[in-house]
Amino acid sequence: MPATGCASSLAWNVPAGSALFGTGAPPLSGIATSMIPKSWRPVGAALVASCLVVQGAAAKPEKDRKTEAAQPPALTADTVNAAALAPPEAGKDRDAKPNTKARRAAASAEKPDPLVVKAQVLLDRAHFYPGAIDGRTGDNYKRALSAFAVAQGLPATQSLNPEVWDKLQATSDKPVVTDYTITDSDASGPYVERIPPKMEQQAELKTLGYTNAREMLAERFHMGRDLVSSLNPGKSLDKAGTVIAVAAVEPMGTDKPKAKDLPESPKVERIEVGKASRDVRAFGADGKLLAYYPASIGSSEKPAPSGDTKVKGVAFNPDYTYNPKYAFKGVKAQHKFTIQSGPNNPVGLVWIDLAIPSYGIHGTPEPEKVGKTESHGCIRLTNWNARDLAAHVTRGAEVVFKED
């Protein structure tokens, strides 16, 4: 079943005013310079000055000491697996939110935090997916954390507090980062040299596969590409036999499941698409929340539908057919064309067809942008989340678009 709807959017610290030598050197305080041989005086002055400099450098402001103490430990498999939540500071509101400007500045400078990596892996295992596991406290992570807290009967929160942390730890006692050995097929691919940005150019490729081993490994283990590199500094990701550290999650496959094996249990009978909250929630027949996924949902140019609809069917590894009536921005072709299947296909590895013509729930070639960018009207998930939902959803399942 080809997908025909929306697509992916495209030394020394010398204090000011002083000097180690010359006329700017500080005086030899408390020493009778007339008693010092002339040949020694420059050396003595330099030694005293250097001592003053070192003393000044050692006395760091309290703000700098606090900043250093707040830095997360080095990122390794051991520090991630051993990460634990520190007790909250006395008198500090742990759910208090910084102002928008400060929050954006902190996010841009933030390095992967072992504790956040651990929490993200535990959320992923519990089916409250935080998007690409990257060790950063982004919006996808915060929303997944809040959804998990509510599902556990706790107040909604976007901060990792002791109550939520205890519930998360109770879901699994296995290591969250594990070893993986690169195989011959991992190393050889085959990989596509480059994915061109324009859809008309993509239509000229024989397959929309991965471009390198790092991209493939990141997606297989639900990770951001930078986190794969950070956990494995200096390691050859394209060399068979290399042992690397990866998130210990259910690896994403790229095969086509047999129709007779679908849907898998637990079966999804109802899907809620939260337009404002940018998420998709999957429910069983009994109303139980089975999975939470971050999502990119429509745009001002191509808004997502409203109301209710149903799931018509599922296609794994679909081709994508563009119709000029979609009038996507940046696509100049006035004729239909087809883009071959693959993880970098505009709709990724899955198309869940909805009863509304040309609309669906699908994967993406850019998993790290899910929940952060807009779509061409459809509902875009990471490839691993789209495959998970497609494996469990029933034909005819109700799909509800929620406005708030």
Side-chain angles (χ1 to χ4, degrees):
M1 180 190 302
T4 58
C6 63
S8 174
S9 59
L10 311 163
W12 288 95
N13 179 22
V14 183
S18 67
L20 291 179
F21 303 100
T23 57
L28 301 182
S29 176
I31 301 176
T33 56
S34 61
M35 298 176 64
I36 302 176
K38 291 184 178 180
S39 60
W40 294 7
R41 290 177 190 175
V43 176
L47 288 173
V48 173
S50 65
C51 289
L52 291 172
V53 170
V54 171
Q55 276 190 325
K60 292 185 178 181
E62 183 180 356
K63 182 179 179 182
D64 290 346
R65 293 199 301 272
K66 286 184 177 181
T67 300
E68 288 182 358
Q71 291 296 317
L75 188 71
T76 67
D78 289 340
T79 59
V80 174
N81 285 325
L85 182 66
E89 295 180 28
K92 182 178 180 181
D93 183 357
R94 63 193 176 202
D95 287 333
K97 298 179 180 179
N99 62 61
T100 302
K101 186 175 181 179
R103 188 165 64 248
R104 287 175 179 171
S108 64
E110 189 180 10
K111 296 180 180 179
D113 187 326
L115 179 61
V116 176
V117 174
K118 187 171 187 175
Q120 288 176 324
V121 173
L122 291 174
L123 285 167
D124 188 294
R125 288 180 183 169
H127 305 293
F128 286 81
Y129 296 96
I133 297 167
D134 58 7
R136 295 181 171 87
T137 54
D139 288 340
N140 288 339
Y141 163 72
K142 291 176 181 178
R143 293 177 187 133
L145 198 65
S146 184
F148 174 81
V150 172
Q152 297 296 316
L154 299 173
T157 177
Q158 293 191 340
S159 299
L160 186 60
N161 59 44
E163 294 78 14
V164 176
W165 179 239
D166 287 345
K167 292 289 187 180
L168 267 179
Q169 287 188 297
T171 63
S172 175
D173 59 358
K174 297 179 180 179
V176 295
V177 172
T178 190
D179 287 345
Y180 175 78
T181 303
I182 304 293
T183 67
D184 289 334
S185 60
D186 293 336
S188 61
Y191 296 108
V192 179
E193 183 177 347
R194 175 178 173 270
I195 303 295
K198 294 186 177 296
M199 295 179 70
E200 297 97 326
Q201 296 171 325
Q202 293 176 11
E204 298 174 3
L205 301 181
K206 294 181 179 180
T207 181
L208 274 289
Y210 294 113
T211 57
N212 54 55
R214 187 179 75 144
E215 181 187 20
M216 178 273 296
L217 291 165
E219 188 153 272
R220 179 183 294 175
F221 296 104
H222 312 182
M223 301 167 70
R225 285 170 287 185
D226 286 348
L227 184 62
V228 174
S229 298
S230 296
L231 276 172
N232 301 283
K235 293 192 175 183
S236 299
L237 302 177
D238 56 357
K239 183 178 180 181
T242 302
V243 179
I244 63 172
V246 298
V249 297
E250 184 67 30
M252 185 196 76
T254 56
D255 61 313
K256 286 186 178 182
K258 296 180 180 178
K260 66 181 182 64
D261 296 329
L262 298 176
E264 299 175 4
S265 293
K267 297 178 181 179
V268 173
E269 299 285 355
R270 175 184 170 88
I271 296 172
E272 289 185 358
V273 180
K275 291 184 178 182
S277 55
R278 295 187 179 184
D279 56 36
V280 168
R281 299 170 191 247
F283 297 87
D286 59 357
K288 180 182 178 180
L289 178 61
L290 301 176
Y292 171 94
Y293 312 102
S296 291
I297 305 167
S299 65
S300 56
E301 178 193 6
K302 299 284 184 180
S306 297
D308 301 353
T309 186
K310 293 185 180 296
V311 171
K312 289 180 61 179
V314 170
F316 290 85
N317 299 346
D319 295 339
Y320 175 81
T321 299
Y322 176 77
N323 190 321
K325 72 178 183 180
Y326 303 149
F328 289 165
K329 186 176 180 180
V331 181
K332 298 180 180 180
Q334 296 302 309
H335 60 276
K336 288 184 179 181
F337 59 83
T338 298
I339 299 175
Q340 299 303 312
S341 63
N344 277 309
N345 177 285
V347 295
L349 290 172
V350 171
W351 175 266
I352 300 174
D353 200 30
L354 302 182
I356 303 173
S358 80
Y359 282 93
I361 302 172
H362 61 79
T364 178
E366 298 178 302
E368 294 175 55
K369 292 185 178 181
V370 164
K372 305 171 187 177
T373 57
E374 299 176 326
S375 75
H376 281 140
C378 292
I379 303 91
R380 184 189 307 155
L381 310 179
T382 66
N383 277 334
W384 58 88
N385 286 168
R387 282 183 60 92
D388 181 71
L389 179 58
H392 295 274
V393 71
T394 59
R395 185 187 296 270
E398 182 182 18
V399 180
V400 179
F401 288 88
K402 303 187 70 175
E403 303 296 330
D404 51 19

